[in-house]
Amino acid sequence: MRNAVRSLVAALLGVAMLCLAAPPEWLPQQQRKLVQIYGESAGLRYQAWRTLMSELNGQDQRQQLAEINRFFNQFRFLDDRVVWGEDNYWATPMEFIGAAMGDCEDFALAKFLSLRALGIPTSQLRLVYVKATSLNQFHMVVAYYPTPASEPLILDNLKGEILPASARRDLLPVYSFNGERLWLDGPGGGRELTNQPALDRWNRFNQRRQQGVMQRPLTARMDP
C-alpha cells in the first residue's frame, strides 16, 4: 500500500509544475471545475488519470485492467453517509477523482467506465453486486470476461490483486449488469432479468454523469 501511495504521489508531482504554471484558461474545462469544487490536488489527480488513460490507449487489455485497478485503489474507502451525506450515493468518476474517497460502488463505477473508455467492449465487463463475507455486507466489484465462456477476473478495492472469481470465495454474487442488461447470479442464477426498472439507478447515475454534475463532499480529503 505504501508503494502504491508513493506511485500516485510521483505521478502527481510529475504533472504538478505544468498544471500550476498554466493559466486557468489553458486547463480543460472539466479540470477547472474539479479544482474549483475540490481544490488544486483534484486537478492533479485528474491530470494523472488523463495521462494514464493516454498511456494505456491501445495497450493489452490485461495491462489496462491492472493499471486502472491500481490507480483507483489508491483512493480512500469511506461510507457514503460520511462523504456525501446520503445513503447509497453513486459518485460519478469525476466526483470520485475530485474527492479521492468513496465506497465500493464509486471504485467499481470509476474502473468500469475507465475501461469502457479505453475500448474494452461492454460484453466483456460487468458490475457485480456481491455479498462480501469478510465484511458481512453487500459490495460491488468489476468482472472482466476474456471470452464469453471464460471465468471472469475480479477487480476489487478490498484486494489489490486481480484474481479469477473462483479464487474469491469471500464474494458471493447476487446480481450483475453492464448498463444494458441485468443478470441474477449465485446458486441457480445466471438468468437474465427483463425488469427494466432495476436499472433505474444506473440510468439516473448516467444522466448526472452526462450533465457533468459534481457534488461537494461533506468530508475534507485527507492526503497521504
Side-chain angles (χ1 to χ4, degrees):
M1 179 63 181
R2 189 170 298 172
N3 290 335
V5 171
R6 288 198 187 105
S7 298
L8 178 60
V9 171
L12 298 181
L13 290 177
V15 298
M17 295 307 298
L18 175 62
C19 293
L20 294 178
E25 62 271 16
W26 289 9
L27 298 176
Q29 181 178 357
Q30 202 162 41
Q31 186 173 347
R32 290 202 303 270
K33 189 173 180 180
L34 279 165
V35 170
Q36 290 169 358
I37 296 174
Y38 305 102
E40 294 289 342
S41 59
L44 299 181
R45 286 191 294 276
Y46 173 81
Q47 187 61 47
W49 173 75
R50 286 289 300 268
T51 299
L52 178 63
M53 293 289 285
S54 178
E55 292 173 348
L56 291 175
N57 186 39
Q59 297 298 316
D60 178 79
Q61 287 185 349
R62 297 298 181 96
Q63 182 179 356
Q64 293 174 338
L65 294 174
E67 292 301 317
I68 291 299
N69 192 58
R70 178 197 60 79
F71 179 84
F72 284 111
N73 278 359
Q74 295 171 90
F75 292 2
R76 187 183 179 201
F77 178 87
L78 272 180
D79 186 80
D80 283 335
R81 177 59 63 178
V82 177
V83 181
W84 306 106
E86 299 181 26
D87 291 323
N88 203 21
Y89 182 80
W90 285 15
T92 68
M94 291 302 100
E95 289 175 313
F96 188 44
I97 289 172
M101 55 188 171
D103 71 357
C104 59
E105 287 96 348
D106 304 329
F107 283 88
L109 289 163
K111 294 174 188 179
F112 177 86
L113 290 169
S114 293
L115 293 170
R116 285 290 296 112
L118 287 170
I120 296 182
T122 303
S123 60
Q124 289 186 261
L125 296 170
R126 290 192 195 180
L127 291 158
V128 187
Y129 260 115
V130 299
K131 178 71 176 293
T133 58
S134 61
L135 301 176
N136 193 31
Q137 67 183 39
F138 290 106
H139 181 60
M140 183 185 280
V141 299
V142 177
Y144 163 80
Y145 293 79
T147 69
S150 297
E151 177 184 13
L153 300 175
I154 303 300
L155 286 69
D156 184 16
N157 64 290
L158 295 180
K159 293 187 178 181
E161 186 180 2
I162 297 175
L163 296 170
S166 60
R168 295 300 308 273
R169 297 188 179 183
D170 57 316
L171 304 179
L172 304 178
V174 181
Y175 70 86
S176 60
F177 63 103
N178 63 7
E180 298 173 358
R181 302 165 67 188
L182 182 72
W183 294 267
L184 179 67
D185 295 316
R191 177 170 57 89
E192 185 171 354
L193 302 177
T194 59
N195 184 16
Q196 189 62 33
L199 294 173
D200 280 351
R201 179 176 290 277
W202 168 259
N203 294 332
R204 291 195 301 270
F205 161 81
N206 261 325
Q207 184 177 31
R208 291 177 50 253
R209 182 173 65 88
Q210 291 162 6
Q211 291 172 347
V213 173
M214 294 187 197
Q215 181 169 314
R216 190 184 302 276
L218 297 179
T219 304
R221 182 179 186 273
M222 296 176 64
D223 289 301

